[in-house]
Amino acid sequence: MTIQVHNLSADMTDRQLRKIFEPFGVVLNAIISRNQYNGRSNRHGQVEMLKLSDGENAINSLDKTTVEGKIISVSVSDVY
């Protein structure tokens, strides 16, 4: 299952994003989107989880929670 995460801190790393989701199950990928010209964070990312049920649990638990001072939005990605 692929999950979109929006409104991340500009300083968040791929590793930190992965750690947020690991308590919910196996994380296959966690990637922060970055500007191709300057490398700065676009403040959103994608997390791919192995099991659908783990992804759904993560979405329900993390959506609209505060991470590094930012209220994040977590939802199912429309990218397959």
Side-chain angles (χ1 to χ4, degrees):
M1 165 180 240
T2 304
I3 300 167
Q4 284 282 2
V5 187
H6 292 276
N7 200 38
L8 294 169
S9 164
D11 298 325
M12 171 117 3
T13 65
D14 294 348
R15 178 182 275 185
Q16 290 170 318
L17 181 60
R18 175 182 285 273
K19 286 187 176 198
I20 292 167
F21 283 83
E22 283 179 335
F24 299 97
V26 176
V27 176
L28 300 175
N29 291 307
I31 300 171
I32 303 287
S33 175
R34 300 204 174 275
N35 181 293
Q36 67 181 7
Y37 300 107
N38 62 21
R40 292 184 187 159
S41 170
N42 289 328
R43 304 181 100 160
H44 63 86
Q46 286 191 337
V47 176
E48 185 179 0
M49 299 196 71
L50 180 63
K51 293 184 181 178
L52 178 66
S53 59
D54 292 343
E56 290 171 342
N57 188 25
I59 290 168
N60 292 332
S61 298
L62 294 172
D63 187 38
K64 296 182 177 43
T65 60
T66 302
V67 175
E68 292 189 6
K70 307 289 274 174
I71 298 173
I72 62 171
S73 172
V74 184
S75 61
V76 176
S77 175
D78 57 2
V79 176
Y80 296 99

